């Protein structure tokens, strides 16, 4: 085995799990942070600064091939490859473009199982003074939405991803890799362009907690994104929220809770997870999070026609929001239909009445614009519609 090589020659860059790749496959470097990369380099008898250079190439220069890492000596690049390493960043396998500028991607990881990411540009309507003239880009700000798992085990009745069941967790490198691949595709200059990141694609981030948080740390510390421009959405996994509350502010995204119903009875019907962690338990956990000045917790609320979209529901949501004592805002989302799901899209009048009622009760309320309907840009829809 490579890892038991005699020690008279420089030690080898043994893959993290200590196993040599005998089947010709390669271990990904993408996903290791500067500390881990440095440790690998030092173990292999290389100078420590090579770790930093590798991280620069992977996360700042967004290099996808070892050969393109021109700041590293050719011999070292060769050696890395010979010893079973590759960049290993997940790649965009398919792109679907919407008339509204939204792009949806099928991204492939190591096992070629695909997952979804979405790019939603704004400010491309030609408004004056939005800053896009200075950058020469067609957008002045954008939101990237990424997945945390392939499929999901939570089984919300209105969600298409739920139909896939849980296929597998994504690794930290795969979660962060989606983001970097999309940044790269659009030539985003981190620190200069306004890009928000939402963990609202496929899967439940708090049921893949360690990999999700490792990805956040990579995105903050290596890629240079701000956690204050990131939002993680959870269906209300209480132990996950409790762990999240312990994270240092430096790497803690903002929090969104998929509330989706005005009370436990309706929530349990549409989100079976509510019987395990009812609304009160979720709110008690959310209260543990030490919010930054002016930070709000988002309640996401999917409007299901005839089920959760009555103005009485809006009044109950307002009461519930006030009772939490938390600074909150509500994001309303009209339900996106999908094959095999029996709910109804809410009527536009019902959506408007709901919004006005909630806002009238003093709750900051936003209506999420439907984006990319023509490319099935609702949660989990693309994979289902493409792969059948
Ligand atoms: N699993 C996490 C994050 C991914 S789902 C969560 O549930 O919060 C992201 C958001 O999309 C959730 O608020 C969910 O309620 C919403 N959603 C799921 N399916 C939807 C659909 N068909 N139409 C509109 N919103 C949907
Ligand atoms: Fe999973 Fe979120 Fe879909 Fe529920 S809404 S099934 S938690 S992805």
């Amino acid at each position: 085995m490579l890892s038991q090589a005699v020690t008279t020659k420089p030690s080898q860059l043994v893959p993290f799990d200590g196993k040599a790749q005998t089947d010709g496959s390669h271990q990904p470097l993408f996903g290791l942070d500067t500390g881990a990369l440095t440790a690998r380099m030092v173990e292999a008898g290389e100078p420590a600064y090579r770790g930093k250079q590798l991280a620069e190439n992977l996360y700042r220069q967004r290099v996808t091939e070892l050969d393109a890492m021109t700041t590293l000596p050719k011999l070292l690049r060769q050696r890395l490859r010979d010893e079973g390493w590759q960049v290993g960043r997940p790649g965009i396998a398919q792109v679907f473009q919407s008339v509204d500028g939204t792009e949806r991607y099928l991204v492939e990881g190591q096992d070629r199982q695909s997952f979804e990411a979405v790019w939603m540009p704004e400010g491309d309507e030609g408004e004056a003074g939005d800053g896009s003239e200075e950058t020469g880009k067609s957008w002045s700000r954008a939101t990237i939405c990424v997945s945390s798992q392939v499929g999901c085990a939570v089984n919300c009745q209105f969600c298409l991803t739920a139909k896939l069941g849980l296929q597998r967790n994504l690794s930290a490198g795969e979660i962060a890799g989606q983001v970097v691949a999309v940044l790269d595709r659009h030539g985003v200059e981190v620190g200069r362009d306004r890009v928000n990141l939402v963990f609202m694609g496929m899967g439940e981030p708090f049921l893949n907690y360690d990999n999700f948080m490792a990805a956040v740390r990579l995105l903050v510390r290596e890629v240079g994104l701000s956690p204050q421009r990131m939002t993680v959405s959870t269906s209300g996994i209480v132990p996950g929220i409790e762990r999240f509350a312990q994270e240092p502010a430096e790497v803690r995204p903002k929090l969104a809770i998929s509330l989706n119903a005005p009370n436990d009875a309706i929530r349990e019907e549409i989100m079976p997870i509510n019987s395990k962690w009812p609304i009160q338990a979720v709110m008690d956990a959310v209260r543990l999070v030490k919010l930054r000045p002016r930070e709000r917790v988002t309640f996401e609320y999917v409007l299901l026609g005839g089920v959760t979209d009555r103005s009485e529901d809006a009044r109950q949501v307002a009461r519930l929001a006030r009772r939490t004592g938390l600074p909150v805002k509500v994001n309303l989302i009209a339900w996106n239909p999908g094959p095999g799901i029996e709910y109804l899209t809410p009527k536009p009048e019902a959506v408007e009445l709901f919004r006005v009622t909630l806002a009238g009760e003093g709750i900051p309320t936003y209506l999420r614009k439907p984006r990319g309907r023509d490319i099935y840009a609702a949660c989990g829809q693309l994979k289902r519609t493409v792969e059948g």
Side-chain angles (χ1 to χ4, degrees):
M1 259 177 71
L2 277 177
S3 54
Q4 287 160 357
V6 268
T7 49
T8 45
K9 58 180 187 173
S11 53
Q12 288 181 304
L13 298 149
V14 185
F16 241 21
D17 56 10
K19 287 189 226 115
Q21 307 307 110
T22 47
D23 59 357
S25 68
H26 284 67
Q27 285 281 110
L29 287 165
F30 198 100
L32 302 180
D33 64 10
T34 302
L37 292 166
T38 304
R40 299 276 101 179
M41 289 291 136
V42 171
E43 273 170 36
E46 295 286 335
Y49 65 81
R50 295 283 183 226
K52 184 121 189 79
Q53 284 179 321
L54 264 170
E56 267 296 310
N57 275 285
L58 293 169
Y59 304 112
R60 303 281 175 162
Q61 308 299 325
R62 309 194 284 235
V63 169
T64 54
E65 296 293 333
L66 278 172
D67 257 344
M69 296 192 175
T70 48
T71 51
L72 298 181
K74 222 176 156 131
L75 264 175
L76 176 57
R77 284 182 256 156
Q78 184 63 48
R79 196 180 155 200
L80 280 163
R81 208 180 11 261
D82 291 349
E83 293 179 11
W85 293 91
Q86 62 172 3
V87 169
R89 191 178 88 189
I92 295 175
Q94 269 181 284
V95 180
F96 301 81
Q97 282 169 319
S98 164
V99 287
D100 66 15
T102 302
E103 285 188 350
R104 198 159 179 89
Y105 314 104
L106 279 182
V107 181
E108 270 178 13
Q110 292 264 296
D111 62 357
R112 305 183 65 82
Q113 215 173 16
S114 62
F115 40 96
E116 300 173 35
V118 183
W119 162 264
M120 289 167 281
E122 277 172 71
D124 51 359
E125 300 92 347
E127 319 148 25
D130 65 1
S132 54
E133 309 87 344
E134 293 161 38
T135 60
K137 296 187 169 101
S138 61
W139 45 274
S140 58
R141 64 197 154 91
T143 301
I144 299 173
C145 174
V146 294
S147 298
S148 54
Q149 299 179 310
V150 181
C152 184
V154 179
N155 201 22
C156 302
Q157 301 296 296
F158 50 83
C159 174
L160 218 53
T161 303
K163 299 264 172 199
L164 297 167
L166 176 63
Q167 310 281 319
R168 70 171 177 90
N169 280 333
L170 295 183
S171 67
E174 287 173 324
I175 300 172
Q178 295 163 77
V179 181
V180 176
V182 176
L183 292 175
D184 203 18
R185 176 175 167 85
H186 291 280
V188 173
E189 294 167 79
V190 173
R192 179 149 182 225
D193 295 327
R194 284 171 58 194
V195 174
N196 294 313
L197 180 59
V198 295
F199 297 92
M200 296 185 186
M202 300 170 83
E204 170 49 62
F206 284 4
L207 290 180
N208 183 18
Y209 190 88
D210 291 328
N211 292 351
F212 154 70
M213 269 313 297
V216 171
R217 285 189 291 271
L218 285 172
L219 291 166
V220 171
R221 295 176 183 161
E222 308 289 348
V223 178
L225 298 173
S226 160
Q228 302 199 52
R229 290 194 172 277
M230 299 178 191
T231 303
V232 59
S233 174
T234 179
S235 55
I237 309 297
V238 165
I241 302 171
E242 288 170 350
R243 286 185 71 184
F244 185 73
Q246 305 297 317
E247 299 291 346
E250 179 243 327
V251 287
R252 184 178 60 70
K254 294 186 289 183
L255 182 62
I257 303 290
S258 291
L259 180 63
N260 293 342
N263 55 50
D264 280 320
I266 299 178
R267 195 166 190 267
E268 201 163 318
E269 237 175 72
I270 61 173
M271 299 178 72
I273 191 92
N274 195 77
S275 58
K276 188 158 191 182
W277 293 298
I279 297 173
Q280 185 65 47
V282 173
M283 295 309 153
D284 287 347
V286 173
R287 261 189 289 276
L288 301 173
V289 179
K290 202 173 166 296
L291 299 175
R292 304 174 181 91
R294 289 183 302 282
E295 183 178 342
R296 288 178 184 274
V297 174
T298 303
F299 288 166
E300 282 168 284
Y301 194 97
V302 177
L303 291 156
L304 300 170
V307 180
T308 61
D309 67 343
R310 301 162 308 167
S311 56
E312 170 51 27
D313 299 332
R315 280 189 289 274
Q316 264 197 57
V317 171
R319 278 199 293 279
L320 194 158
R322 277 195 295 270
R323 255 202 331 270
T324 65
L326 289 160
V328 298
K329 63 174 174 173
V330 176
N331 267 356
L332 299 175
I333 317 148
W335 180 68
N336 272 304
I341 311 186
E342 297 294 303
Y343 292 106
L344 297 172
T345 332
K347 295 200 170 63
E349 311 85 74
V351 174
E352 185 53 15
L353 182 59
F354 198 100
R355 187 188 69 75
V356 170
T357 308
L358 203 50
E361 296 262 351
I363 309 292
T365 306
Y366 303 86
L367 181 61
R368 276 221 236 139
K369 275 192 284 183
R371 301 290 307 251
R373 279 253 167 103
D374 53 336
I375 51 162
Y376 301 102
C379 304
Q381 280 197 341
L382 185 62
K383 190 176 161 74
R384 290 278 297 181
T385 44
V386 169
E387 293 177 0

